[in-house]
Coordinates of all heavy atoms in Angstrom, one line a residue:
V284 N 0.4 -8.1 32.4 CA 1.5 -9.1 32.5 C 0.9 -10.5 32.6 O 1.4 -11.4 32.0 CB 2.4 -8.8 33.7 CG1 3.4 -9.9 34.0 CG2 3.1 -7.5 33.6
A285 N -0.2 -10.6 33.4 CA -0.9 -11.9 33.5 C -1.4 -12.4 32.1 O -1.3 -13.6 31.8 CB -2.0 -11.8 34.5
E286 N -1.9 -11.4 31.4 CA -2.5 -11.8 30.0 C -1.4 -12.3 29.2 O -1.5 -13.4 28.5 CB -3.1 -10.5 29.4 CG -3.6 -10.8 28.0 CD -4.0 -9.5 27.3 OE1 -4.1 -8.5 27.9 OE2 -4.3 -9.6 26.1
M287 N -0.2 -11.7 29.2 CA 0.9 -12.2 28.3 C 1.4 -13.5 28.8 O 1.8 -14.4 28.1 CB 2.0 -11.1 28.3 CG 1.7 -9.9 27.6 SD 1.3 -10.1 25.8 CE -0.5 -10.2 25.8
A288 N 1.5 -13.7 30.2 CA 1.9 -15.0 30.7 C 1.0 -16.1 30.3 O 1.4 -17.2 30.0 CB 2.0 -14.8 32.3
G289 N -0.3 -15.8 30.4 CA -1.3 -16.8 30.0 C -1.2 -17.2 28.5 O -1.4 -18.4 28.2
K290 N -0.8 -16.3 27.7 CA -0.7 -16.6 26.3 C 0.7 -17.3 25.9 O 0.7 -18.2 25.1 CB -0.8 -15.3 25.5 CG -2.2 -14.7 25.3 CD -2.1 -13.5 24.4 CE -3.5 -12.9 24.1 NZ -3.4 -11.7 23.2
Y291 N 1.8 -16.7 26.5 CA 3.1 -17.1 25.9 C 4.1 -17.6 26.9 O 5.2 -17.9 26.5 CB 3.6 -15.8 25.3 CG 2.7 -15.2 24.3 CD1 2.3 -13.8 24.4 CD2 2.2 -15.9 23.2 CE1 1.5 -13.2 23.4 CE2 1.3 -15.3 22.3 CZ 1.0 -14.0 22.4 OH 0.1 -13.4 21.5
L292 N 3.8 -17.7 28.2 CA 4.8 -18.1 29.1 C 4.8 -19.7 29.2 O 4.3 -20.3 30.1 CB 4.6 -17.5 30.5 CG 5.7 -17.8 31.5 CD1 7.0 -17.1 31.1 CD2 5.3 -17.2 32.9
T293 N 5.4 -20.3 28.2 CA 5.5 -21.7 28.1 C 6.6 -22.2 29.1 O 7.4 -21.4 29.7 CB 6.0 -22.2 26.7 OG1 7.3 -21.7 26.5 CG2 5.1 -21.6 25.6
D294 N 6.6 -23.5 29.4 CA 7.6 -24.0 30.3 C 9.0 -23.7 29.8 O 9.9 -23.4 30.6 CB 7.5 -25.5 30.4 CG 6.3 -25.9 31.3 OD1 5.8 -25.0 32.0 OD2 5.9 -27.1 31.3
R295 N 9.2 -23.7 28.5 CA 10.5 -23.5 27.9 C 11.0 -22.0 28.2 O 12.1 -21.8 28.5 CB 10.5 -23.7 26.4 CG 11.9 -23.6 25.7 CD 11.8 -23.8 24.2 NE 11.4 -25.1 23.8 CZ 10.1 -25.4 23.4 NH1 9.2 -24.5 23.2 NH2 9.8 -26.7 23.0

Side-chain angles (χ1 to χ4, degrees):
V284 173
E286 178 188 353
M287 293 297 97
K290 285 183 175 181
Y291 307 125
L292 189 62
T293 65
D294 285 345
R295 187 182 295 105

